[in-house]
Amino acid sequence: MNYTRQHQPILEVNSLHIEYPINSPGGFRRLTKPAVIDVSFKIFFGECFAIVGESGCGKSSIIEAILGFVRPKSGTILFEKQNLLNLSSKNLRKLRPKIQPVFQDYNQALNPRMRIGDILREALPNHLQDSQTDQLLASVGLSREILNYFPHQLSGGQKQRIVLARALSVKPALLLLDEPVTSQDLSVAVQIVELLISLREIKHLTFLLVSHNLSIVQLLADRVAVMKNGQFLEQQPLAQLLNNPRHIYTKNIIDQTITP
Ligand SMILES: Nc1ncnc2c1ncn2[C@@H]1O[C@H](COP(=O)(O)OP(=O)(O)O)[C@@H](O)[C@H]1O
Ligand SMILES: [Mg+2]
């Protein structure tokens, strides 16, 4: 299926640089360490763009910059042509719901003291709370009984579905999926991947997927960037990347990947 047909970027990242301060014992100079170096990419409406690379290469930093949690040293991040880095807080608030993260650590994402029903209702506008909760649950393949449960009573896969349902409650256009399935075993991971594939189609979503795991990436991605030490080594459509890696590092990742 050609998800790139619209050829309009929903997100455009240009020359992104991110640095973090390092604590230097007794040093006068403020030392920094680069985490993301000159990263540029576009994501087109409806596609899944993936960034693959080993832990610590800078993937989550890119997501955190898109969400405004981290202030880049330089670069631009355009969402629907507006630069998120110099938008007024009012306009940023308006855009906010359109970009929803789904983080790896669903245990931290769900308040352990709240019932699932309240977690979902809290995310919805008042007048939609009752009608939409059931619909949200159905869209992630869960049934109503779960509304009375607390997060610890759910399996990892069920928790991840709730995190997804909550992200969907505000009708996002772009999901930022940070290692969305690494915490589960393979059969659960495959179910979550299948759910993501169907949600993308049904809800016309665009995905930015970041993962260290090429097996997961290749199930979802239309185009893939390979990242190492803060830099993109290459980016290609998935099939081209797999058949014709330009970089030896990419080739090594492919060779290490067992096709699920
Ligand atoms: N808040 C932070 N403060 C200092 N260093 C950080 C911070 N977040 C990430 N880093 C460092 O930046 C680099 C990239 O991290 P990250 O973006 O989390 O990579 P990945 O998601 O690919 O594992 C790592 O060396 C990490 O230790
Ligand atoms: Mg990460």
Side-chain angles (χ1 to χ4, degrees):
M1 196 167 309
N2 179 14
Y3 283 102
T4 61
R5 62 188 178 275
Q6 283 180 275
H7 291 295
Q8 282 294 322
I10 184 171
L11 189 84
E12 194 173 336
V13 170
N14 296 303
S15 304
L16 191 69
H17 284 262
I18 299 172
E19 291 185 355
Y20 293 110
I22 28 181
N23 297 324
S24 53
F28 288 106
R29 275 190 307 157
R30 194 175 153 273
L31 296 174
T32 58
K33 177 181 101 148
V36 174
I37 303 159
D38 196 24
V39 159
S40 302
F41 61 94
K42 287 179 188 169
I43 307 181
F44 295 93
F45 275 94
E47 78 168 337
C48 176
F49 182 80
I51 304 172
V52 67
E54 63 200 50
S55 177
C57 73
K59 306 180 297 295
S60 297
S61 297
I62 295 174
I63 285 189
E64 284 171 20
I66 296 168
L67 292 168
F69 299 164
V70 162
R71 182 88 200 160
K73 187 180 171 225
S74 60
T76 56
I77 301 175
L78 308 178
F79 178 78
E80 293 180 341
K81 307 241 182 313
Q82 293 176 286
N83 187 358
L84 299 178
L85 300 178
N86 57 25
L87 221 53
S88 70
S89 45
K90 185 171 161 236
N91 286 333
L92 206 52
R93 257 200 310 278
K94 256 193 267 170
L95 280 187
R96 224 24 314 184
K98 292 193 178 184
I99 308 173
Q100 287 295 305
V102 175
F103 289 115
Q104 158 178 30
D105 192 352
Y106 45 76
N107 285 319
Q108 266 187 23
L110 301 174
N111 184 337
R113 291 189 194 84
M114 280 172 79
R115 288 180 199 274
I116 300 304
D118 294 325
I119 288 173
L120 290 181
R121 275 188 284 273
E122 187 185 56
L124 289 162
N126 282 335
H127 65 289
L128 291 175
Q129 284 181 348
D130 289 325
S131 61
Q132 296 277 311
T133 320
D134 285 6
Q135 219 176 311
L136 272 178
L137 276 179
S139 70
V140 296
L142 293 173
S143 56
R144 294 203 86 246
E145 296 88 80
I146 244 170
L147 290 173
N148 289 319
Y149 290 8
F150 287 97
H152 76 265
Q153 295 172 292
L154 307 188
S155 70
Q158 287 172 322
K159 278 189 261 195
Q160 191 61 312
R161 284 169 196 264
I162 294 297
V163 169
L164 260 175
R166 186 176 56 184
L168 295 173
S169 68
V170 291
K171 302 204 183 311
L174 175 65
L175 285 191
L176 308 177
L177 303 164
D178 192 337
E179 307 275 6
V181 293
T182 38
S183 315
Q184 297 106 9
D185 60 45
L186 190 64
S187 66
V188 180
V190 169
Q191 285 172 28
I192 298 286
V193 167
E194 280 166 0
L195 175 63
L196 287 169
I197 290 169
S198 78
L199 285 173
R200 174 155 73 116
E201 186 153 343
I202 293 164
K203 301 201 180 273
H204 308 290
L205 296 166
T206 304
F207 289 170
L208 169 57
L209 165 69
V210 314
S211 178
H212 71 281
N213 188 344
L214 184 63
S215 329
I216 297 299
V217 164
Q218 68 182 3
L219 294 174
L220 276 160
D222 298 303
R223 288 187 303 123
V224 183
V226 178
M227 192 172 188
K228 190 183 182 216
N229 296 336
Q231 287 174 298
F232 277 9
L233 298 181
E234 62 176 303
Q235 44 181 307
Q236 297 207 63
L238 176 70
Q240 280 177 38
L241 185 97
L242 296 177
N243 294 326
N244 196 8
R246 294 192 186 130
H247 212 281
I248 184 75
Y249 182 79
T250 309
K251 191 176 177 310
N252 287 339
I253 295 180
I254 295 168
D255 290 346
Q256 286 159 19
T257 303
I258 307 149
T259 315

